[in-house]
């Protein structure tokens, strides 16, 4: 099966929105510092661009999760494949995700950081697909709300491909 990628959000649109999110977060955390938790691999591009636009002190660390299942559907079961190097106790955590789909990943992670006694836990997702939600999660910062389509680029993959595209595209399976 081959596939084609059609542009949904351009690099310019993404950059502009990330700049707005950075400004909003900087305002909300004035006088505080932030611990950004980037969820690998998908959120890496977004998290770096976002971090560059935050003006309060930032610590960044990385975590990798997998939601078991194959193809383009999440199974609901989340596993930590790589944990943080640093502790989050007493820190203002913002979990940075590429996309919120079923909501299972963010729901699971927000509970983990509360158990680890973070001072506060907020969530930031570059994209939101609300039509596919299975668990109700409150995402504090959202880049773009998109319709139910499988998207790639800006960190997001299909079968480990297309992460390097500078835009968000929809995969059309031919
Ligand atoms: P959730 O746990 O179902 O919310 O899924 C979150 C994870 O599924 C994301 O971090 C992505 O890795 C992956 N995912 C969900 N939708 C897409 C998509 O449209 N394209 C690429 N990956 C996706
Ligand atoms: Mg993925």
């Amino acid at each position: 099966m081959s596939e084609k990628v059609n542009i949904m959000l351009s690099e310019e649109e993404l950059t502009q929105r990330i700049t707005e999110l950075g400004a909003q977060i900087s305002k909300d955390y004035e006088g505080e510092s932030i611990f950004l938790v980037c969820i690998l691999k998908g959120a890496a591009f977004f998290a770096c661009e976002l971090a560059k636009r935050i003006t309060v002190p930032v610590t960044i660390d990385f975590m990798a999760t997998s939601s078991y299942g194959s193809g383009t559907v999440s199974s609901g079961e989340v596993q930590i494949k790589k944990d943080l190097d640093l502790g989050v106790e007493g820190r203002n955590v913002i979990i940075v995700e590429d996309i919120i789909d079923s909501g299972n990943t963010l729901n699971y992670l927000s509970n983990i950081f509360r158990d680890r006694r973070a001072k506060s836990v907020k969530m930031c997702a570059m994209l939101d697909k609300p039509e596919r939600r299975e668990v109700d999660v409150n995402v504090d910062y959202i880049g773009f709300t998109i319709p139910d389509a499988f998207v790639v680029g800006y960190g997001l993959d299909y079968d480990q491909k297309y992460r390097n595209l500078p835009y968000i595209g929809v995969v059309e399976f031919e």
Side-chain angles (χ1 to χ4, degrees):
M1 191 163 60
S2 72
E3 66 269 356
K4 211 176 103 190
V5 180
N6 302 312
I7 295 192
M8 178 190 267
L9 295 164
S10 69
E11 185 171 18
E12 290 70 28
E13 287 174 285
L14 288 158
T15 303
Q16 197 200 326
R17 185 69 188 120
I18 294 170
T19 301
E20 288 169 9
L21 285 174
Q24 180 70 51
I25 290 170
S26 304
K27 190 163 157 262
D28 293 350
Y29 287 84
E30 215 179 310
E32 301 271 342
S33 57
I34 297 173
F35 190 113
L36 286 184
V37 174
C38 169
I39 308 304
L40 296 172
K41 303 173 189 169
F45 292 65
F46 172 54
C48 293
E49 292 304 315
L50 182 66
K52 290 195 295 192
R53 292 169 174 86
I54 295 175
T55 54
V56 300
V58 167
T59 300
I60 187 161
D61 202 354
F62 300 87
M63 192 177 220
T65 60
S66 68
S67 49
Y68 277 3
S70 58
T72 59
V73 184
S74 144
S75 69
E77 195 184 320
V78 181
Q79 280 218 338
I80 294 179
K81 291 199 294 186
K82 180 218 171 293
D83 208 336
L84 299 177
D85 293 330
L86 309 169
V88 298
E89 189 171 343
R91 313 298 298 270
N92 295 308
V93 169
I94 302 181
I95 306 169
V96 183
E97 253 286 45
D98 49 5
I99 189 166
I100 174 164
D101 187 30
S102 69
N104 287 309
T105 306
L106 279 177
N107 182 50
Y108 175 82
L109 290 174
S110 67
N111 290 330
I112 281 197
F113 294 122
R114 286 194 185 95
D115 288 348
R116 293 183 184 181
R117 299 173 186 282
K119 181 178 173 188
S120 64
V121 182
K122 283 197 183 184
M123 293 183 253
C124 176
M126 173 170 67
L127 304 173
D128 181 18
K129 279 200 275 195
E131 285 167 53
R132 307 233 323 159
R133 201 73 87 254
E134 288 167 17
V135 275
D136 197 22
V137 280
N138 178 31
V139 184
D140 306 275
Y141 304 102
I142 289 169
F144 293 91
T145 298
I146 61 167
D148 181 12
F150 195 79
V151 289
V152 294
Y154 224 86
L156 287 154
D157 73 303
Y158 168 63
D159 203 11
Q160 299 302 326
K161 290 180 293 186
Y162 307 120
R163 292 192 198 276
N164 61 313
L165 296 179
Y167 52 83
I168 297 289
V170 183
V171 183
E172 198 183 297
F173 297 95
E174 311 182 301

